[in-house]
Amino acid sequence: MADTRLPPLEIAEHTLAAGDGGCCLVTSVRAEGVATRAPVVLVSGMFTGRRFWLSERQIGLAAYLARRGYEAFIVQRRGLSDSPPCSARAGLIDHVKYDLPAVQAHIKQRYAQPAFWIGHSFGGVMCALASARYLEAQAIAGLVLFASQFEVDKRMLDWPANRLTRGLAWLLGYFPARAAGLGPENEPTAALMDATHWVETGRRNSYLRDTLRRIGQPVLAVSGAADRVDPSAGCRRFIDHFSSVDKRFEQAGTATGYSVDFDHPGIVVSKPAQAEIWPLVADWLDRRAAMKKPA
């Protein structure tokens, strides 16, 4: 049950049409009686969906940011369990190229100020690639990336182990993340193929790194000291490719003053994250939202 001492939330769903004939579901979250500083877009990684940011009990980073004055727009990637039916390809590349620009256009109709883009794991990779290639740069206030990278570990997405991962997805017609204990959302085959393509070719060719160098917006990257999925070394390397001048990397663990060594999901969805990581992000947004506010 939601805490009745907090401002109640206004939650609405919007289905957005994308340029390739596909569509995606966007959930907007704002707090009643709280003036909006800037919009934020929340993009989840693989094997998770919109409930990563806002639970059925209305707990999550989306609710926290809404009450801090940021209307949150949670993007549900096409092809996941409760996404709208769509006959278009349901890959990560399609999401980056078609869905995220549609989200940006939707927000620009409502707000004059640029939006912040926040992603977890491959959601952060998608935010970064969209910012570099497909989004309007002047409408991006900054990026917050949790546990986002493609160059370290991820053995099942890299050659040669990814042949097994791809084969299983082709055989079943989807990747069985729930059965494998990887997360609550099974992945469309196309999404799994795109993820393995980014990891395998991105490590051996320079095209992804060259693309990331186009990013000049402020960026906050937060990694967990106990993250074995996306280790801190890869997350630091990821933002090293950016051209941003305003760039901060934060490794969250006991060695750097945090109460725990955060793991991959726990960097966002844990009690310690609520107390330590969420305020860190909101304070970072506050300072940059004040600089970006229209006259």
Side-chain angles (χ1 to χ4, degrees):
M1 181 179 294
D3 189 339
T4 56
R5 296 170 298 178
L6 298 172
L9 299 176
E10 296 179 0
I11 301 173
E13 294 183 357
H14 313 268
T15 298
L16 305 183
D20 65 338
C23 61
C24 68
L25 182 67
V26 175
T27 302
S28 62
V29 184
R30 65 181 303 275
E32 294 181 11
V34 178
T36 300
R37 298 169 183 258
V40 297
V41 183
L42 302 171
V43 182
S44 60
M46 300 189 73
F47 318 135
T48 60
R50 54 181 173 156
R51 292 176 185 84
F52 183 81
W53 305 109
L54 184 70
S55 72
E56 298 289 355
R57 298 172 58 204
Q58 297 187 5
I59 298 171
L61 182 59
Y64 177 82
L65 292 179
R67 292 179 172 119
R68 284 283 297 250
Y70 297 93
E71 182 170 359
F73 294 84
I74 307 171
V75 186
Q76 174 81 340
R77 186 156 40 86
R78 59 174 71 182
L80 299 185
S81 60
D82 57 352
S83 297
C86 176
S87 59
R89 185 177 185 272
L92 305 186
I93 292 173
D94 311 280
H95 190 58
V96 168
K97 188 174 181 179
Y98 300 109
D99 294 339
L100 298 187
V103 173
Q104 185 182 57
H106 174 73
I107 293 172
K108 283 183 66 179
Q109 292 177 349
R110 303 177 62 165
Y111 287 101
Q113 65 263 52
F116 292 95
W117 290 72
I118 302 176
H120 175 258
S121 196
F122 257 111
V125 175
M126 288 185 279
C127 285
L129 294 177
S131 298
R133 294 196 62 183
Y134 302 109
L135 301 180
E136 294 182 24
Q138 67 273 19
I140 303 170
L143 302 172
V144 178
L145 309 176
F146 295 106
S148 298
Q149 62 95 33
F150 64 91
E151 294 183 89
V152 177
D153 289 349
K154 291 186 176 295
R155 287 176 292 177
M156 294 308 294
L157 298 180
D158 196 13
W159 189 89
N162 64 12
R163 299 311 188 255
L164 295 174
T165 308
R166 290 175 178 174
L168 180 60
W170 277 117
L171 179 65
L172 297 177
Y174 65 93
F175 185 77
R178 288 200 295 267
L182 298 173
E185 293 284 351
N186 292 329
E187 284 290 341
T189 299
L192 198 283
M193 297 300 155
D194 288 349
T196 56
H197 171 75
W198 280 344
V199 171
E200 180 177 348
T201 62
R203 295 181 182 188
R204 291 161 179 81
N205 302 305
S206 65
Y207 81 101
L208 279 185
R209 295 186 292 272
D210 291 343
T211 297
L212 295 174
R213 290 189 182 97
R214 302 176 187 175
I215 297 173
Q217 291 86 359
V219 58
L220 169 65
V222 186
S223 74
D227 193 332
R228 301 294 177 262
V229 178
D230 286 300
S232 294
C235 299
R236 183 187 293 273
R237 187 184 303 180
F238 187 67
I239 67 164
D240 281 346
H241 299 310
F242 296 13
S243 297
S244 307
V245 175
D246 181 358
K247 185 189 304 186
R248 176 179 175 182
F249 176 78
E250 188 80 12
Q251 179 175 318
T254 56
T256 51
Y258 291 87
S259 63
V260 298
D261 289 333
F262 287 90
D263 62 14
H264 189 66
I267 198 70
V268 176
V269 289
S270 65
K271 288 287 187 181
Q274 293 181 36
E276 299 174 78
I277 304 299
W278 295 3
L280 166 73
V281 171
D283 290 345
W284 187 90
L285 294 175
D286 286 350
R287 290 190 290 272
R288 283 146 191 88
M291 293 169 21
K292 294 287 185 179
K293 189 172 183 179

